[in-house]
Amino acid sequence: MSAAAKTTNDSAPTSTARRVAWHIPASQVAQRTLNPIRQIVDHMKIAPNKDKEMISLSIGDPTIYGNFDIDEFANEAMIKVIKSKRSNGYPPSFGYQHARASIAAKYTIPTAPLTANDVIIGSGASDALNICITGLCDSGTNILLPRPGFPLYETLATSKGIEVRYYNLLPEKNWEVDLGHLESLVDDKTSCILVNNPSNPCGSVYTRPHLEQILALCARHHLPVISDEIYDGLPFAGNVFHPIASLTDEVPVLAVGGIAKQYCVPGWRVGWILIHDRNDVLKEARQGLISLSQLILGANSLVQGALPEILHNTPQKFYDDTLAQLEARIQLTDGKLGDLMPLRSCFISTILSIST
Amino acid sequence: MSAAAKTTNDSAPTSTARRVAWHIPASQVAQRTLNPIRQIVDHMKIAPNKDKEMISLSIGDPTIYGNFDIDEFANEAMIKVIKSKRSNGYPPSFGYQHARASIAAKYTIPTAPLTANDVIIGSGASDALNICITGLCDSGTNILLPRPGFPLYETLATSKGIEVRYYNLLPEKNWEVDLGHLESLVDDKTSCILVNNPSNPCGSVYTRPHLEQILALCARHHLPVISDEIYDGLPFAGNVFHPIASLTDEVPVLAVGGIAKQYCVPGWRVGWILIHDRNDVLKEARQGLISLSQLILGANSLVQGALPEILHNTPQKFYDDTLAQLEARIQLTDGKLGDLMPLRSCFISTILSIST
Ligand SMILES: Cc1ncc(COP(=O)(O)O)c(C=O)c1O
Ligand SMILES: Cc1ncc(COP(=O)(O)O)c(C=O)c1O
């Protein structure tokens, strides 16, 4: 740096100045990282009212209050893997080949074919979402997120300096996407659209025509979709779940899933990305997702080792029982809350009409 | 935006333009994320020479070639946790209280006291390092890293736009830090110094006076230390390991550790940050580290559940046997490689004198 270019101000640090005191702030990224759910849940210490029985309204974790049965079969599969001593080493950062193959085999369908190479395993769907968002969106671009929606999406995006734009879901239309509103948010800095189906917290399961409308919009604007389908195994009676990737030949889709919800084991931390890219437009991005998986070296090897068993050999009775238990919980509230439950979901939503 | 401020160029996209084709590059962050080890190891498919027996020179994973004994006790602890069905839910993103307490109890010493609140559990030491580097360093600042050193440090830093400056280790001085060189790299954009002791790949274990010299330098420049001490349990006979935090009252230290190496279970993905901050200068940064742990919701709950057992009740025989096995491996090469092995390490280093 030339002397002339340098501001002459004795107290200002020069480029080779020492720090002169212990002042160590959190980085900008850390300061931008706010997860509203965890901030409440992780620090919650409530002294219950001794005169009343506590009704825990819970978080989206079907295990900790003991109100759902654990998958015995998954436990047995884990014990087998531990005893085999074959799954203690580092898997590839994006997952064991056999674990990825078992995910592909479970989710491949003729209209959305998958091989092991189309699967990246992460440390939970959270990590999978983090990799998708980080891999597709640059700081300074924007991502379109559902409102209401799972708050982690915003946490992940804003921590990376990605602008969040919320598109409305319409309660009066089963929480479908307000397509006009969604389209009005798109500009040349939009990097992708995140869709969550079945929806947390709304419980909505989108119809095929509605998903096709969303895809048509994405095609018009050449926007890839991140589709959070972690609740795919839990649509309630009467709803049919369609993987969005199965309804398009054109729009590239990163579908995110995991075992947390379906198998009632959120602490096990295994999720995945299914890369649906039938025209090779995600070639560079795909390599980017793999690179990003190398930052933390992926998911627990024991659960990965047990994944083929869990995904393919869990007895049908477990799935049936889980759905039946969910239905039973929902019926607890049926008819008792008036208009308070517009859709069947793991959460109860209320709509408040506030007159001021 | 006013019309006047807008460049009038018909072909340039305006701020509300659509993308006009399927061009989806990897994000800048993804493009900057390169992990040289994993890029080789994850894609390695070598057809062995049938005429010769293969000598695997391996990666830093003591399990996959079956050449180290697994900790039977850790396996039993895991099976007990699975059968208890008490550790399947979401732990706090920074780890179960009892798991953090067990880490604190293992590592607290009078000169470097720790409580559960000073511990953040991550998905492996990799995740712990990622959280430390992301939490302390802003894009545009620089971090000082050892050369030679573990390549992940650079991967993590450059992915975040943090400048990497390498300080030299001196092979002729048991790979001690070249303090003059280190100090010459410090400027007002330096965010922290990363020290790796015991060192991968050098195998060096720093003496107390050398660590004090490093700390004095950090104190002069008010630089916090990230100390990767994951090999703390594996110093070979004759070397004494000192946690750097135990030698300072002033310099704040984030010490990173984990179970991967000591217990031969790298795939289990549990590591931690020990926050040594006796003068509360990391108060904001500490909150930042916790926020960052909320991005992927932390480490596998089963391993966390087993951690108190593994850390505190593993029979001494396992530790002794592991060290003895390492020593035996090292003796395989003793005397046979001439000057090729300057220090005892899990890796064999060679110094090439190249005359051109
Ligand atoms: C919609 C949705 N996506 C992702 C996740 C995170 O899943 P995981 O526990 O596998 O990280 C959750 C958990 O609550 C969720 O509700
Ligand atoms: C020096 C060093 N630090 C950290 C790690 C990563 O440890 P983990 O497997 O717990 O992520 C390694 C693994 O090779 C290492 O050698």
Side-chain angles (χ1 to χ4, degrees):
Chain A
M1 190 191 272
S2 77
K6 213 166 100 184
T7 317
T8 43
N9 176 341
D10 281 351
S11 65
T14 69
S15 69
T16 55
R18 300 170 179 184
R19 288 209 218 179
V20 292
W22 285 112
H23 174 66
I24 306 171
S27 68
Q28 304 284 323
V29 173
Q31 289 181 45
R32 282 196 306 253
T33 303
L34 295 172
N35 182 328
I37 294 185
R38 305 307 312 186
Q39 296 229 314
I40 298 168
V41 171
D42 289 349
H43 302 279
M44 198 157 52
K45 283 205 190 84
I46 302 168
N49 180 339
K50 280 186 205 115
D51 301 333
K52 296 198 173 176
E53 211 184 322
M54 189 162 86
I55 303 172
S56 170
L57 292 175
S58 194
I59 52 170
D61 182 338
T63 70
I64 45 175
Y65 301 95
N67 47 3
F68 276 88
D69 293 341
I70 298 298
D71 181 2
E72 287 290 349
F73 184 85
N75 276 0
E76 288 306 321
M78 282 292 285
I79 291 172
K80 231 188 283 175
V81 166
I82 289 173
K83 289 187 171 164
S84 82
K85 304 182 188 172
R86 307 289 302 164
S87 298
N88 294 311
Y90 286 114
S93 61
F94 46 89
Y96 284 132
Q97 164 74 22
H98 68 87
R100 288 182 287 115
S102 77
I103 295 167
K106 173 119 181 168
Y107 288 94
T108 192
I109 48 177
T111 46
L114 290 168
T115 72
N117 288 338
D118 301 315
V119 179
I120 292 175
I121 296 178
S123 188
S126 302
D127 183 34
L129 286 163
N130 191 26
I131 291 174
C132 289
I133 292 173
T134 311
L136 287 189
C137 313
D138 277 308
S139 156
T141 68
N142 63 72
I143 184 170
L144 309 186
L145 301 181
R147 175 171 58 202
F150 183 49
L152 180 69
Y153 308 140
E154 174 170 336
T155 305
L156 294 173
T158 50
S159 82
K160 284 146 195 73
I162 300 158
E163 183 197 339
V164 165
R165 297 188 178 175
Y166 279 109
Y167 62 85
N168 291 332
L169 305 183
L170 300 169
E172 66 280 11
K173 289 187 69 182
N174 281 353
W175 300 101
E176 285 193 349
V177 174
D178 181 337
L179 294 162
H181 185 230
L182 175 59
E183 193 147 24
S184 75
L185 300 173
V186 176
D187 67 14
D188 63 329
K189 290 260 182 280
T190 303
S191 47
C192 67
I193 298 180
L194 192 147
V195 176
N196 176 213
N197 176 47
S199 157
N200 171 2
C202 307
S204 45
V205 184
Y206 292 147
T207 62
R208 184 178 167 136
H210 187 58
L211 289 168
E212 285 169 343
Q213 287 174 313
I214 297 171
L215 286 166
L217 189 157
C218 293
R220 279 200 294 283
H221 297 282
H222 300 93
L223 291 173
V225 172
I226 299 174
S227 184
D228 182 350
E229 301 180 352
I230 193 165
Y231 291 101
D232 60 353
L234 300 169
F236 300 119
N239 289 313
V240 179
F241 165 75
H242 301 276
I244 195 169
S246 69
L247 306 177
T248 175
D249 278 333
E250 179 184 355
V251 180
V253 173
L254 300 179
V256 169
I259 59 171
K261 312 295 173 180
Q262 172 90 67
Y263 299 95
C264 299
V265 288
W268 292 14
R269 313 307 303 129
V270 170
W272 50 75
I273 306 166
L274 310 179
I275 305 173
H276 294 280
D277 177 33
R278 285 193 273 295
N279 307 305
D280 265 355
V281 296
L282 290 183
K283 214 169 157 183
E284 289 168 41
R286 182 193 287 259
Q287 184 50 52
L289 302 177
I290 291 173
S291 297
L292 290 168
S293 78
Q294 295 166 353
L295 291 172
I296 66 161
L297 304 185
N300 180 275
S301 56
L302 299 172
V303 186
Q304 288 195 50
L307 212 50
E309 276 281 286
I310 295 172
L311 294 183
H312 293 281
N313 296 332
T314 293
Q316 184 57 40
K317 183 169 169 2
F318 171 77
Y319 301 105
D320 295 344
D321 287 355
T322 307
L323 271 182
Q325 287 180 65
L326 273 171
E327 291 279 355
R329 298 296 179 289
I330 286 165
Q331 265 146 39
L332 282 180
T333 59
D334 255 2
K336 298 194 188 117
L337 296 169
D339 289 338
L340 285 188
M341 195 181 51
L343 250 199
R344 323 195 113 209
S345 154
C346 300
F347 299 87
I348 298 171
S349 314
T350 88
I351 297 178
L352 300 178
S353 304
I354 299 173
S355 45
T356 44
Chain B
M1 191 191 274
S2 78
K6 212 167 101 185
T7 318
T8 42
N9 177 339
D10 280 351
S11 65
T14 69
S15 70
T16 54
R18 300 170 179 185
R19 288 209 220 180
V20 291
W22 284 112
H23 174 67
I24 306 170
S27 69
Q28 304 284 325
V29 173
Q31 288 181 45
R32 283 196 306 254
T33 304
L34 294 172
N35 182 328
I37 296 185
R38 304 310 310 187
Q39 296 230 312
I40 298 169
V41 171
D42 289 348
H43 300 281
M44 198 157 52
K45 283 207 188 87
I46 301 168
N49 179 338
K50 278 185 205 119
D51 301 332
K52 296 196 173 177
E53 212 184 319
M54 189 162 87
I55 303 171
S56 170
L57 293 174
S58 197
I59 54 170
D61 181 339
T63 68
I64 44 173
Y65 301 95
N67 48 2
F68 275 88
D69 293 341
I70 297 298
D71 181 1
E72 286 290 350
F73 184 85
N75 276 0
E76 288 307 320
M78 282 291 286
I79 291 171
K80 229 187 287 174
V81 167
I82 289 173
K83 288 187 172 162
S84 82
K85 304 182 188 172
R86 306 289 302 164
S87 298
N88 295 311
Y90 286 113
S93 61
F94 47 90
Y96 283 132
Q97 163 75 20
H98 68 87
R100 288 183 288 115
S102 77
I103 295 168
K106 173 118 182 169
Y107 289 94
T108 191
I109 49 178
T111 47
L114 290 167
T115 73
N117 288 338
D118 301 315
V119 179
I120 292 175
I121 296 178
S123 186
S126 302
D127 183 34
L129 287 163
N130 191 27
I131 291 174
C132 289
I133 293 174
T134 311
L136 287 189
C137 314
D138 276 308
S139 159
T141 67
N142 62 73
I143 184 169
L144 309 186
L145 301 181
R147 178 172 56 200
F150 182 49
L152 181 69
Y153 308 141
E154 174 171 335
T155 305
L156 293 174
T158 50
S159 83
K160 284 146 193 73
I162 300 157
E163 183 196 341
V164 165
R165 297 187 179 178
Y166 278 109
Y167 62 85
N168 291 331
L169 305 182
L170 301 169
E172 66 280 11
K173 290 185 71 180
N174 281 352
W175 301 102
E176 285 193 347
V177 175
D178 181 338
L179 294 162
H181 184 230
L182 175 59
E183 192 146 24
S184 75
L185 300 174
V186 175
D187 68 14
D188 64 327
K189 290 262 184 278
T190 302
S191 48
C192 68
I193 297 180
L194 192 147
V195 176
N196 175 214
N197 177 46
S199 157
N200 171 3
C202 307
S204 45
V205 185
Y206 292 147
T207 62
R208 185 180 165 135
H210 186 58
L211 289 167
E212 285 169 343
Q213 288 173 311
I214 297 171
L215 287 166
L217 189 157
C218 293
R220 280 200 294 285
H221 297 283
H222 300 94
L223 290 173
V225 172
I226 298 173
S227 184
D228 182 351
E229 302 182 352
I230 194 166
Y231 291 101
D232 62 352
L234 300 170
F236 300 119
N239 290 313
V240 179
F241 165 75
H242 302 277
I244 197 169
S246 69
L247 306 176
T248 177
D249 278 335
E250 180 184 356
V251 180
V253 173
L254 301 180
V256 170
I259 59 171
K261 313 295 174 179
Q262 173 88 67
Y263 299 95
C264 301
V265 289
W268 291 15
R269 315 305 306 130
V270 170
W272 50 74
I273 305 166
L274 310 179
I275 305 173
H276 295 280
D277 177 33
R278 287 194 272 295
N279 306 306
D280 264 356
V281 295
L282 291 183
K283 213 170 157 182
E284 288 167 44
R286 183 193 287 260
Q287 184 51 51
L289 302 176
I290 291 172
S291 297
L292 289 169
S293 78
Q294 295 165 353
L295 290 173
I296 65 161
L297 304 186
N300 180 275
S301 56
L302 299 171
V303 187
Q304 288 195 49
L307 213 51
E309 276 282 285
I310 294 172
L311 294 182
H312 292 281
N313 296 334
T314 294
Q316 184 58 39
K317 186 169 167 1
F318 171 77
Y319 300 105
D320 296 342
D321 287 354
T322 307
L323 272 182
Q325 287 181 65
L326 274 172
E327 291 278 356
R329 296 297 180 287
I330 286 164
Q331 266 145 38
L332 282 181
T333 60
D334 253 4
K336 297 194 190 119
L337 297 170
D339 289 339
L340 287 188
M341 194 180 53
L343 250 199
R344 322 195 114 209
S345 152
C346 301
F347 299 87
I348 297 173
S349 313
T350 89
I351 297 179
L352 301 178
S353 303
I354 300 173
S355 44
T356 44

